[in-house]
Amino acid sequence: MGVDQANGVVNYCRRPPQRPFLQRIQYAIWDPEERKFLGRTPKRWGVIGLIYLVMYICIIIFFSICMCGLLASVDEHIPYFTLADSIIGNNPGMGHRPVVFEEGALIWYRLDNETSYKKYTDNLDEFLAPYKNKSLLINKGENQVDCQQKRRHAGEVCAFDTSLLGPCSSENDYGYADGTPCLIIKLNKIYDWQPQFYDDPGDLPSNMPPDILNYINTTKTPQERRQVWLSCMGERPADTESLGPLRYWPYPGLPEIYFPYNNTPGYLSPLVAVQLLNPIRGQIINIRCRAWARNIVFTESLKERMGSTHLEIMVD
């Protein structure tokens, strides 16, 4: 389909020749008369290819410069924004185990059915595995030290001994087999957050549970009182009555030696095991566990749950 050249003047305003359907498809792919492929000559395709090549090279160079600038300003271990300036903020939340995500916060099992509570004991085994087997950690736990025996230095972290959790152990099925189930409570990590402790027995919150007050009053040294205290109780009076007595292992607090968290490899959060000694059977019990420190904000709202965690348990 060549162009008309009347009197040496190219005429583009012409009706294209009529061709059969298959021939039109053939000419759309390759036009032997004008030597065009997909409507363009090789020269035009070359120009277009060169334009796109230069454009993408410029984009790659610009992107590389931006990435180099970003990586130069970001530390691998220290967040650019911390505490109140960060999205997480400076008020740590709490977590608990076991958690079976398909069931949400509900723990429900039958005492006479091992299969019904095995999913919870397996979840606890999985959670505690890095505490018991250091080879599962990134650095194999080489920088973990026993902070009861020696003071940790820069680059070292305090090891947490799971044997301190008493009967809340895998060997004891975490108490689920005999109707005294254990819950593992932890404080979420926030970089460089340092707790302000309730370490003065004469200056404690009036709403602190009596069992926590009694424990604080029985401590003998100021260092024993420098802890983020943890407590669990029923959300409503009926829940408190059904919950029964609790036992904290090794004690209802997280010691000062584990703070602040600074993203050191091998760090593991300290834990508190809460054992329900005599929960009412056949009834859902709503439990709220909270942390106590002067700079931890706690809200009663079940929607926000600041400084606390919520769970439900029913033993049949």
Side-chain angles (χ1 to χ4, degrees):
M1 158 177 108
V3 296
D4 298 329
Q5 295 186 2
N7 300 323
V9 179
V10 178
N11 179 21
Y12 291 97
C13 299
R14 70 196 188 286
R15 184 185 299 276
Q18 296 294 324
R19 294 191 178 96
F21 176 73
L22 293 179
Q23 192 177 33
R24 289 203 303 270
I25 296 177
Q26 177 185 348
Y27 268 71
I29 299 174
W30 171 249
D31 186 345
E33 297 178 4
E34 298 187 11
R35 303 185 63 81
K36 290 182 179 181
F37 176 70
L38 296 178
R40 289 187 173 89
T41 63
K43 180 180 178 180
R44 295 293 300 172
W45 278 117
V47 172
I48 292 175
L50 181 62
I51 291 174
Y52 276 96
L53 178 63
V54 172
M55 180 183 71
Y56 282 114
I57 289 176
C58 292
I59 291 175
I60 292 172
I61 293 174
F62 178 73
F63 179 77
S64 300
I65 292 174
C66 291
M67 287 300 299
C68 290
L70 175 64
L71 295 176
S73 62
V74 174
D75 191 283
E76 186 178 353
H77 300 288
I78 303 176
Y80 189 79
F81 296 104
T82 61
L83 300 176
D85 295 328
S86 68
I87 296 177
I88 297 176
N90 57 356
N91 194 66
M94 296 181 68
H96 69 272
R97 297 293 187 279
V99 173
V100 178
F101 292 103
E102 294 82 3
E103 301 177 2
L106 176 63
I107 300 172
W108 179 19
Y109 72 97
R110 297 179 62 90
L111 274 177
D112 56 358
N113 187 344
E114 181 180 354
T115 304
S116 68
Y117 62 77
K118 190 176 185 302
K119 57 187 173 183
Y120 301 118
T121 58
D122 288 347
N123 183 265
L124 288 169
D125 284 337
E126 181 182 358
F127 174 70
L128 294 175
Y131 289 83
K132 298 178 179 180
N133 186 0
K134 295 182 180 180
S135 65
L136 298 177
L137 298 173
I138 296 177
N139 65 343
K140 313 301 181 184
E142 295 177 353
N143 62 334
Q144 287 190 354
V145 297
D146 183 1
C147 294
Q148 304 299 329
Q149 304 296 329
K150 58 177 289 189
R151 182 181 179 85
R152 69 183 174 104
H153 301 286
E156 294 181 335
V157 294
C158 294
F160 184 87
D161 185 3
T162 56
S163 66
L164 298 175
L165 300 181
C168 297
S169 64
S170 180
E171 296 74 21
N172 194 42
D173 285 329
Y174 303 99
Y176 283 79
D178 58 8
T180 59
C182 294
L183 313 170
I184 304 296
I185 309 298
K186 61 183 285 291
L187 198 66
N188 295 343
K189 295 177 289 189
I190 293 183
Y191 185 89
D192 209 27
W193 181 78
Q194 181 66 53
Q196 298 173 11
F197 304 102
Y198 284 113
D199 53 357
D200 181 2
D203 184 21
L204 298 175
S206 59
N207 59 337
M208 185 174 279
D211 53 347
I212 308 300
L213 290 172
N214 292 337
Y215 179 85
I216 297 174
N217 290 326
T218 58
T219 55
K220 299 178 180 179
T221 64
Q223 188 61 36
E224 290 182 84
R225 294 189 288 272
R226 295 186 63 78
Q227 301 193 51
V228 176
W229 304 109
L230 299 181
S231 67
C232 295
M233 59 189 306
E235 287 189 349
R236 302 171 181 85
D239 296 316
T240 301
E241 183 178 348
S242 302
L243 182 60
L246 304 175
R247 177 73 185 272
Y248 298 90
W249 301 91
Y251 31 71
L254 307 174
E256 180 184 23
I257 57 177
Y258 294 96
F259 301 99
Y261 166 71
N262 54 14
N263 207 21
T264 303
Y267 177 90
L268 291 172
S269 299
L271 307 173
V272 172
V274 184
Q275 187 176 23
L276 283 60
L277 300 179
N278 188 27
I280 296 296
R281 294 178 59 176
Q283 178 177 327
I284 293 181
I285 306 172
N286 295 277
I287 302 175
R288 187 103 177 259
C289 298
R290 63 164 295 185
W292 298 84
R294 298 183 188 277
N295 56 341
I296 293 181
V297 177
F298 170 77
T299 58
E300 295 288 349
S301 169
L302 296 180
K303 182 178 180 180
E304 296 178 348
R305 296 177 187 168
M306 296 180 64
S308 65
T309 185
H310 161 88
L311 63 118
E312 301 128 28
I313 187 167
M314 184 167 75
V315 182
D316 279 334

